[in-house]
Amino acid sequence: MVRTFLAIDLPAEQKKILEKIQNRWKSFRAGIRWVPPDRMHLTLKFLGDINTFQLKQVIDTTRNICSNHSSFNLSLGAAGVFPGTRRPRVLWIGLTGDTRDLILLHDHIEEHLAAIGFPPESRRYSPHLTMGRVRSSRQISRLIDAVYDEQIRSAPFQVSEVTIYESILTPESPVYTVLDRCPLACS
Ligand code: 2AM
């Protein structure tokens, strides 16, 4: 079985910006498990454990969907917390730019993967980059104020492929391995 998810990778320049923001947030010394910037990605669909036959179907389906979608541009957007400030669990950064293209791509992936047996998410898709996960309430309210005050500026980056990842869980942190890269059509 392969623990699989589909994601959009970020260019090095955006990861640098995210690292700088994260370093500012780290200075609050709150109880957060931080996502290392080199591992940050925009999840499109988490599939969990699938077998090798299903993986082949997922690769074929995703490649087919991507070949029918043009590449598009995104920029880093405002920061926030999930599910809300009263019980924060995830600190995230959002996206701006061609978000309609992103949602369309996501919806097609949901629809076509549902047709091969992967149930669609019941929750609405909220595209986000997870920066950290809350582990304790230590210093959390000061950090949350800083999250909402964050002014994020980034140049647009082109999204030109969807990456299929394997996620291997280890006691320290998950290890992600690229299984396939599915190119989007040229825009
Ligand atoms: P997150 O950033 O919102 O936590 C790999 O685990 C990726 O799949 C993570 O980035 C995570 O998104 C996403 N994901 C979505 N649902 C998940 C689940 N039930 N278990 C683990 N990861 C999940």
Side-chain angles (χ1 to χ4, degrees):
M1 297 294 264
V2 189
R3 193 169 188 268
T4 311
F5 69 98
L6 273 53
I8 290 171
D9 284 333
L10 302 170
E13 189 188 332
Q14 272 65 34
K15 288 183 179 173
K16 276 242 159 60
I17 296 170
L18 294 170
E19 185 171 19
K20 281 191 186 151
I21 296 168
Q22 203 182 52
N23 285 340
R24 279 200 288 278
W25 293 358
K26 278 183 182 174
S27 67
F28 290 90
R29 303 197 172 283
I32 307 293
R33 181 181 289 175
W34 298 104
V35 177
D38 65 341
R39 230 176 288 155
M40 287 178 186
H41 56 266
L42 173 58
T43 303
L44 283 166
K45 175 82 178 163
F46 180 79
L47 295 167
D49 283 324
I50 63 175
N51 62 37
T52 48
F53 174 75
Q54 290 173 306
L55 177 60
K56 167 100 179 58
Q57 282 188 312
V58 168
I59 290 174
D60 290 347
T61 304
T62 309
R63 280 193 161 260
N64 190 27
I65 296 166
C66 288
S67 68
N68 286 304
H69 268 263
S70 296
S71 51
F72 54 92
N73 292 314
L74 294 175
S75 305
L76 302 180
V81 301
F82 283 148
T85 51
R86 269 165 37 123
R87 276 176 167 266
R89 286 183 43 227
V90 170
L91 312 181
W92 53 264
I93 300 240
L95 286 313
T96 61
D98 299 332
T99 48
R100 283 169 64 165
D101 293 272
L102 172 65
I103 303 283
L104 210 61
L105 176 62
H106 167 271
D107 291 352
H108 281 150
I109 289 173
E110 283 282 354
E111 185 188 324
H112 289 258
L113 291 183
I116 57 166
F118 295 97
E121 292 293 324
S122 49
R123 281 184 298 190
R124 214 176 119 250
Y125 180 51
S126 305
H128 65 278
L129 306 165
T130 299
M131 299 283 275
R133 295 183 173 85
V134 179
R135 288 288 170 257
S136 81
S137 54
R138 173 164 53 99
Q139 296 286 12
I140 195 70
S141 55
R142 286 182 61 220
L143 171 58
I144 288 175
D145 288 345
V147 167
Y148 280 105
D149 283 346
E150 194 64 58
Q151 299 292 321
I152 296 157
R153 272 192 212 94
S154 96
F157 60 94
Q158 193 181 41
V159 178
S160 53
E161 63 185 15
V162 170
T163 308
I164 303 181
Y165 277 105
E166 174 174 19
S167 164
I168 298 172
L169 296 177
T170 73
E172 297 81 44
S173 55
V175 176
Y176 300 148
T177 311
V178 174
L179 297 172
D180 196 24
R181 293 191 188 276
C182 309
L184 295 170
C186 295
S187 51

